[in-house]
Amino acid sequence: MTDDGPVRSPSRMNALEAMMWRAEVDPRLRSPVTIVDVLDLEPDWERVVEAHEQATRFVPRLRDRVLEPWWGWGLPEWSPDPGFTLSDHLERRRLGGTGGRRDLLDLAAAWASAPFERDRPPWAAMLVTGLEDGRAGYLLKIHHSLADGLGLVQILRLLHGSERDPARARPLRAVPDRDGPSRLGLTGRRAVGLLDAAPGAVLAGLGWAAGAAERVVSDPLGRTRDGVTFLASAARAAVPHRVPPSPLLRGRSLDRRFLTWDVDLEELKHAGRAAGGSLNDAYLAAVLGGVARYHARFGVVPENVSVGMPMNTRGSDDALGGNHWAGLRFAAPLRETDPAARIRLVRDVVADLRRERVMDGLGLIAPLLASLPPVLLARVQGGATRRNDLQASNIPGLSRPAFIAGAQIERSYAFGPLPGGAVMVALMSNRDTCCIGATVDPAAVTEPDVFAACLDEAFAEVLALGRPGHRA
């Protein structure tokens, strides 16, 4: 943690964040992002409490609740929770069972599935003791509207310690002195803002139309072609590929199961390069290979599956935390059995997506969707996300040793939300290891242990490409 002042973030949600928050009128669209850390020893509870108290003072957003304007007039706002109490968000629990990884993941999945209280800051943390070999677990879940995966890692990098026993304890910061509006006051401001913006929007629209007309008159053929190209690109970004859903992954429920894999970071890089791709290409190719193997076990392998993948759009000037990503959708091939060829296919598909004039189709329509009544928003958003057989994410994680209250983080897994889909796989690097976590709906993946074994085989197949003597 630095000695700078508290981290400041915009008070108003953006349209994408508002969508994720409001769509939870349908419980299938809940959006928790969960981190599961494995610690080398059980940290002192008092130090854990002190570290979290310090964290909420350094990142005041952790003390903020979501304030909705009446009648949905405008976007929600983050506002200080006048009744904030750390004990409402932090707990300690002893693990049952054998204390193994499976017990920890089952506890984490059940805990992460519980909804946040809507009138409190949407995050929670848990220290889990009783793991085998004297280890401990640390669980953290936040609502996706508070931060995306990279935004959460940014916060964690500031809050983790860089050594086991610091030379001196930091004095607690003062609680930031901040005032928040009432719901009535927020509604009034939003209403005035809408009235003030209306004339300007009309004039801007007229000006844009006049300018567009002038440009078309000066170069009618070129402008028409450019407009058609733009609209076609926007349509490809905004409308998901019409890939038939996998017949094997159609079931949906509110239950979740967490799975993990540990993959050597350098080996995965070498495998990607050996086949002419990147680490991300090799990662996606391995996941697709595992999904194909799982289908093959049941005698049906579709030609393609629908895949959703976030692309980071965060700039150097963007505030810490929050959400800055574009949602990419594509049809991913399943029947390519050569892992090197699969890596190149993934490379080409993703490269084509990045070359589109418009990549962020969701960003284009998010302001409109966020303004819909929540029930209608949930129907529209759920109808789109349920078509995703697979979602995949790659998050740069910890590059150096990190500690929580004196305990070192040995492994750190990210489990993304699964709003209506079948499988969400996230890779988060932890020094020299790719910690890969999958959130699966057991109604879709009815044999999760078989699914885990299939991905084991697929990663082994891909990693072999980068080893000496192997020809890709």
Side-chain angles (χ1 to χ4, degrees):
M1 188 182 294
T2 70
D3 289 320
D4 299 329
V7 173
R8 302 296 181 186
S9 301
S11 61
R12 184 182 298 193
M13 279 188 178
N14 63 38
L16 179 61
E17 293 161 349
M19 276 179 55
M20 293 186 288
W21 179 256
R22 289 172 170 170
E24 289 194 356
V25 66
D26 182 343
R28 293 170 296 183
L29 301 181
R30 290 174 187 154
S31 298
V33 179
T34 307
I35 301 293
V36 176
D37 290 337
V38 178
L39 312 179
D40 67 343
L41 52 81
E42 294 185 8
D44 178 74
W45 175 242
E46 291 185 3
R47 289 184 64 182
V48 171
V49 173
E50 181 180 337
H52 284 78
E53 182 65 41
Q54 189 78 281
T56 67
R57 301 181 183 204
F58 184 65
V59 185
R61 177 53 45 80
L62 298 176
R63 289 175 172 258
D64 289 348
R65 60 179 178 173
V66 177
L67 194 64
E68 281 273 15
W70 291 107
W71 309 296
W73 282 4
L75 298 174
E77 188 162 300
W78 294 100
S79 179
D81 177 8
F84 177 82
T85 304
L86 184 61
S87 59
D88 290 334
H89 302 270
L90 177 64
E91 63 176 304
R92 172 174 50 171
R93 193 179 303 182
R94 186 164 186 84
L95 189 63
T98 63
R101 175 77 62 87
R102 183 71 265 154
D103 296 314
L104 177 63
L105 294 176
D106 287 345
L107 170 64
W111 176 75
S113 298
F116 290 107
E117 294 189 35
R118 304 283 284 185
D119 60 348
R120 288 179 175 169
W123 69 273
M126 180 193 296
L127 176 66
V128 183
T129 62
L131 271 67
E132 57 189 3
D133 300 325
R135 289 178 168 80
Y138 173 75
L139 314 181
L140 174 66
K141 71 170 178 175
I142 67 166
H143 196 280
H144 207 321
S145 60
L146 195 155
D148 56 23
L150 188 54
L152 177 57
V153 170
Q154 286 181 330
I155 294 172
L156 290 175
R157 283 174 178 165
L158 292 176
L159 302 182
H160 287 329
S162 58
E163 51 188 320
R164 193 180 297 275
D165 295 304
R168 60 184 178 85
R170 296 176 181 271
L172 277 176
R173 298 173 180 269
V175 176
D177 185 14
R178 300 176 301 142
D179 293 323
S182 66
R183 194 174 184 189
L184 179 61
L186 175 62
T187 303
R189 274 192 334 197
R190 292 288 186 267
V192 170
L194 289 172
L195 291 173
D196 287 344
V202 171
L203 291 174
L206 291 174
W208 178 86
E214 182 180 347
R215 290 190 294 272
V216 169
V217 169
S218 64
D219 183 12
L221 186 59
R223 294 299 175 182
T224 301
R225 285 175 176 168
D226 187 66
V228 170
T229 300
F230 180 86
L231 290 174
S233 180
R236 286 190 294 270
V239 180
H241 286 270
R242 293 291 181 179
V243 179
S246 162
L248 196 61
L249 305 177
R250 287 186 174 178
R252 296 292 185 269
S253 71
L254 294 177
D255 294 331
R256 300 291 181 260
R257 185 170 172 85
F258 288 172
L259 305 172
T260 61
W261 299 266
D262 296 337
V263 176
D264 185 274
L265 177 65
E266 289 301 317
E267 285 192 19
L268 194 57
K269 284 182 180 178
H270 290 321
R273 286 197 293 264
S278 64
L279 178 146
N280 191 64
D281 298 329
Y283 158 60
L284 288 175
V287 172
L288 289 172
V291 172
R293 285 172 180 267
Y294 181 74
H295 280 79
R297 295 283 181 96
F298 294 91
V300 53
V301 181
E303 183 177 354
N304 298 293
V305 290
S306 178
V307 177
M309 184 177 70
M311 186 187 71
N312 177 42
T313 61
R314 189 177 299 272
S316 58
D317 295 333
D318 286 325
L320 180 141
N323 283 263
H324 303 276
W325 52 274
L328 306 182
R329 296 174 184 270
F330 57 97
L334 276 197
R335 293 180 180 171
E336 177 54 69
T337 58
D338 180 355
R342 199 183 317 124
I343 288 174
R344 290 189 284 270
L345 278 172
V346 168
R347 176 199 64 194
D348 294 342
V349 168
V350 174
D352 287 343
L353 287 171
R354 292 178 183 275
R355 281 194 291 266
E356 288 283 6
R357 286 275 307 273
V358 178
M359 286 184 296
D360 190 8
L362 182 58
L364 282 175
I365 61 176
L368 172 62
L369 294 178
S371 67
L372 295 175
V375 173
L376 181 55
L377 166 62
R379 285 182 64 89
V380 174
Q381 186 172 331
T385 57
R386 276 194 295 273
R387 296 193 186 104
N388 285 341
D389 292 319
L390 172 66
Q391 294 169 263
S393 181
N394 183 351
I395 307 165
L398 303 172
S399 58
R400 55 191 178 192
F403 299 84
I404 298 175
Q408 185 170 357
I409 300 172
E410 293 185 333
R411 293 286 186 270
S412 186
Y413 304 95
F415 297 93
L418 196 59
V423 180
M424 168 68 186
V425 185
L427 181 156
M428 188 163 69
S429 54
N430 182 25
R431 293 185 293 166
D432 58 358
T433 302
C434 295
C435 296
I436 299 168
T439 308
V440 303
D441 183 339
V445 181
T446 56
E447 298 289 343
D449 292 338
V450 174
F451 183 80
C454 289
L455 262 78
D456 281 337
E457 296 168 5
F459 272 107
E461 178 183 59
V462 166
L463 292 176
L465 296 174
R467 294 182 181 133
H470 195 287
R471 296 182 63 184

